[in-house]
Amino acid sequence: MPILLIAIILGIVEGVTEFLPVSSTGHLILATELLGFDAEKWAAFNVIIQLGAILAIVVLYWRTFWAVLEGMFRRNAMSWRFVRNVLIGFMPSAILGFLLINKIELLLGNSYVVAVALILGGIAILVIERMVKETPIVGVAEMPLKTVVGVGLIQCLAMIPGVSRSGATIMGGLSLGVERRTAAEFSFFLAIPTMVGATTLELVKRHADGRCERGRLRCGRRRFHRQLHRRNRRREGLRSLHFAARLRAICLVSHRRGHGGARLADDALSLSACCSVLH
């Protein structure tokens, strides 16, 4: 199957599942497996592709972002609280993602983890929907810091492939008393720094891994040339010794026949030994 077609299919899966309370990353991993490819090799693509969905949020809420930006220049307290809440909610996942990136990447290729997480996540949504009691926290800027930190910590569960980031943050917000619309909008706004950070970290890591791989290849080439040089030196030394042995034998035969070749043999042997050292 052409790579371009695979990318289009995965892009459609990402676009459909990103803003639903189901794991887009989990569905991307399963889709990759169903297409017959190793999900681990597509792990970076499955993370970076989600940046496109974030651009959709920016387009959809551009008026909100513009109003917040204007309010920040005017020193509006509500605008600054909006930015503060989004950044604080982002910090737990930023810290844990940086510390656990290698372990997270090991899970990104595991379809069994995805399947279990999707089932448990669906059950959790059903239970929380029945038990939750909303309180009138309306507006992202109105959310208290304790609630913001709580939602940010709950978002960290989405580092497990198959756990929906939007589902976890929305259900977490509802559990902490946030009004449904505000919980959904905070989840969308929180996705922007989270996915930008995840994409940046993935790109930096891939670039570093690429540099290490190139370094290993260069070291391997140098090691190969050194070994080849040593092998050539040993071959030249063996040739010199072989030549000296043959010459010694010829000279000994000549000496026995009375031609006085012993001194010539000693000189030849000394010369060959010097040649082997020089090589």
Side-chain angles (χ1 to χ4, degrees):
M1 185 181 294
I3 296 295
L4 181 60
L5 181 58
I6 298 171
I8 292 172
I9 293 173
L10 294 179
I12 294 172
V13 172
E14 163 62 24
V16 170
T17 58
E18 176 62 34
F19 301 109
L20 297 175
V22 294
S23 173
S24 59
T25 302
H27 282 80
L28 286 171
I29 293 172
L30 294 179
T32 306
E33 293 282 351
L34 289 173
L35 290 172
F37 293 91
D38 186 359
E40 188 174 352
K41 295 180 180 179
W42 284 79
F45 179 84
N46 289 341
V47 172
I48 297 170
I49 192 178
Q50 298 179 52
L51 193 61
I54 305 309
L55 295 177
I57 297 176
V58 175
V59 173
L60 181 62
Y61 287 97
W62 73 269
R63 289 185 178 85
T64 301
F65 295 131
W66 184 257
V68 168
L69 187 61
E70 285 185 334
M72 291 176 66
F73 281 108
R74 295 173 182 172
R75 298 183 180 180
N76 182 278
M78 294 289 288
S79 297
W80 280 100
R81 281 202 297 268
F82 178 94
V83 175
R84 178 202 66 184
N85 286 350
V86 172
L87 292 179
I88 290 177
F90 159 68
M91 289 308 296
S93 59
I95 295 171
L96 286 180
F98 179 78
L99 295 175
L100 303 176
I101 183 171
N102 292 325
K103 294 183 178 180
I104 294 170
E105 286 191 340
L106 291 177
L107 296 176
L108 286 176
N110 194 325
S111 56
Y112 296 103
V113 173
V114 173
V116 172
L118 286 172
I119 294 171
L120 294 179
I123 295 172
I125 289 175
L126 293 175
V127 172
I128 292 172
E129 283 282 3
R130 291 176 178 270
M131 298 178 60
V132 70
K133 294 181 179 180
E134 297 181 14
T135 56
I137 299 179
V138 180
V140 173
E142 297 295 335
M143 293 173 62
L145 283 179
K146 183 170 71 173
T147 303
V148 171
V149 172
V151 174
L153 290 173
I154 293 172
Q155 181 179 234
C156 295
L157 293 174
M159 294 179 185
I160 303 171
V163 177
S164 169
R165 191 205 60 79
S166 59
T169 50
I170 292 173
M171 293 299 110
L174 292 175
S175 301
L176 295 173
V178 180
E179 181 264 337
R180 188 176 299 272
R181 180 183 176 87
T182 301
E185 289 185 343
F186 186 59
S187 174
F188 293 160
F189 298 146
L190 205 55
I192 297 175
T194 301
M195 295 315 304
V196 169
T199 301
T200 303
L201 186 59
E202 189 68 32
L203 290 173
V204 170
K205 187 177 184 301
R206 293 288 169 175
H207 177 68
D209 290 345
R211 291 183 62 183
C212 291
E213 185 64 26
R214 290 192 295 271
R216 284 194 293 268
L217 289 174
R218 284 196 294 269
C219 291
R221 285 196 293 267
R222 293 195 193 101
R223 191 179 299 113
F224 171 76
H225 288 304
R226 284 198 297 268
Q227 291 174 351
L228 185 63
H229 181 63
R230 293 195 192 101
R231 191 179 298 117
N232 290 336
R233 288 178 58 186
R234 286 196 294 269
R235 286 177 179 174
E236 292 296 331
L238 290 173
R239 288 174 183 171
S240 299
L241 290 174
H242 180 66
F243 171 75
R246 290 182 63 184
L247 186 59
R248 176 77 173 180
I250 293 171
C251 291
L252 286 174
V253 171
S254 300
H255 177 68
R256 287 177 181 178
R257 291 178 179 178
H259 295 290
R263 184 175 181 180
L264 177 62
D266 292 336
D267 293 341
L269 186 58
S270 299
L271 179 60
S272 64
C274 292
C275 289
S276 64
V277 172
L278 290 175
H279 281 293

